[in-house]
Amino acid sequence: MFKETIDFIRGLYNHKEFVPLHEPFFNGNEKAYLADCIDSTFVSSVGKYVDSFEQSMVDFTGAKYAIATVNGTAALHISLLLSGVGREDEVITQPLTFVATCNAVSYIGAHPLFIDVDLDTLSLSPEKLEEFLVNYTEQQDGLCKNKVSGRTIKALVPMHTFGHPAKLKELSELASTHNITLIEDAAESLGSYYKNKHTGLFGAMGTLSFNGNKTITTGGGGMIITNDEGIARRAKYLTTTAKVPHIWEFYHDEVGYNYRLPNLNAALGCAQMELLPKILENKRSTARKYQEFFKKMDEIDFIAEPAECESNYWLNAIVLENRETRDSFLEATNRNGIMTRPIWKLMNRLPMYRNTWSGDLENSEWLEQRVVNIPSSVR
């Protein structure tokens, strides 16, 4: 079984000696735009490419506003602040995620609460969320209060795992009913749609990431997308060190953050956005080939896009029979030059979040022992 899979992946990627998990794809105007940016001398956070990159994201996603940031974690941090999350507040999220989701909560001095995921989406479960909200929260003066901790629950942050959209209709309805702000961690889901609407646009804000291993990259970088003009204006202000606009004066009227994306990185992003439709088409083609291949194997299941969704298939993933089989697969593939990796260790197992409240995490624990990411680069 392992040898057959290794041979298939090698063939898929033209029999390369080493097949990475996900490498960036540069096949357009990247060098030309970078050179133009350098020639302009505007390489920091002011320049035409920042504006162009933000506009290209508006055009692609359908958001009314896009605010570029230095990375996806910064975008999430600012989004949480804009949603009113403060010290000692609580934020509901999922344990099956990249650590940046929880770190952004911790930067504020707030506390994450972990709700289980669904097996079909790998993202936060509306059913488990509703169970928690009914049993452990109450409404006080228009705020959602945790009856156990006494803290206010300010935000709900589902993460679209590997680019597969969460059940956003149900999650947004629950957030609205319980007076909680929905913020989508869409770091992995650029080019993914739920009910024909781009991820990141179902809550007050959505955040994107353009790290070197993402669908498109700016080297490092992130984005806040929103349909709220007030949020967009304040996001740009806070990420630009809270500087009051003036031709020559430097005046800052509150604590801000140096989170704006440099023009140099945005130049790379502009070229990548031109390639995005081609990248997404190629990635869906790769996913179809994987899906057909793994149909023949009873021991391995390929994770396909959920119902009513169009996933970007950022990272393709498979589910093996148990942890022992998973570890054997990881050993065999990596030893033979095929880069694979397990899913993240659950957040509640990490030392800094070990004492965080968690509900029944049966699905998350089951997935943690079985899921493996396989090569997903553009071919």
Side-chain angles (χ1 to χ4, degrees), residues 202-213:
F202 288 81
M205 291 154 278
T207 62
L208 303 169
S209 171
F210 311 114
N211 189 36
N213 66 345

Side-chain angles (χ1 to χ4, degrees), residues 12-180:
L12 199 61
Y13 285 94
N14 298 316
H15 300 281
K16 291 182 179 178
E17 184 176 344
F18 173 72
V19 182
L21 189 68
H22 195 288
E23 62 183 351
F25 178 70
F26 301 127
N27 192 34
N29 289 311
E30 290 87 356
K31 290 182 180 179
Y33 291 172
L34 287 170
D36 179 61
C37 183
I38 292 169
D39 290 343
S40 76
T41 73
F42 286 91
V43 296
S44 193
S45 58
V46 175
K48 67 178 184 180
Y49 286 108
V50 176
D51 297 335
S52 294
F53 187 38
E54 290 174 336
Q55 185 59 50
S56 69
M57 197 59 63
V58 165
D59 295 340
F60 180 82
T61 63
K64 291 183 179 178
Y65 308 98
I67 303 90
T69 62
V70 70
N71 55 52
T73 311
L76 190 53
H77 180 203
I78 292 296
S79 295
L80 289 164
L81 289 172
L82 291 174
S83 73
V85 176
R87 184 170 294 276
E88 296 303 317
D89 286 333
E90 293 180 338
V91 176
I92 298 171
T93 189
Q94 58 200 63
L96 194 74
T97 185
F98 181 59
V99 71
T101 309
C102 296
N103 285 348
V105 176
S106 297
Y107 294 166
I108 301 172
H111 303 271
L113 299 176
F114 297 126
I115 301 296
D116 203 8
V117 300
D118 282 330
L119 293 176
D120 57 342
T121 65
L122 281 69
S123 296
L124 205 147
S125 168
E127 182 179 350
K128 297 286 186 71
L129 174 62
E130 184 173 24
E131 181 181 323
F132 166 77
L133 291 171
V134 168
N135 292 326
Y136 291 97
T137 72
E138 60 186 2
Q139 293 294 305
Q140 293 182 11
D141 301 321
L143 298 174
C144 185
K145 292 286 186 175
N146 187 325
K147 292 191 291 186
V148 177
S149 69
R151 299 186 181 113
T152 302
I153 300 173
K154 288 284 186 67
L156 169 65
V157 185
M159 197 276 285
H160 304 305
T161 306
F162 307 144
H164 298 301
K167 294 172 182 173
L168 289 163
K169 179 178 182 294
E170 294 93 333
L171 291 175
S172 60
E173 288 174 352
L174 285 168
S176 177
T177 300
H178 292 269
N179 296 311
I180 301 171

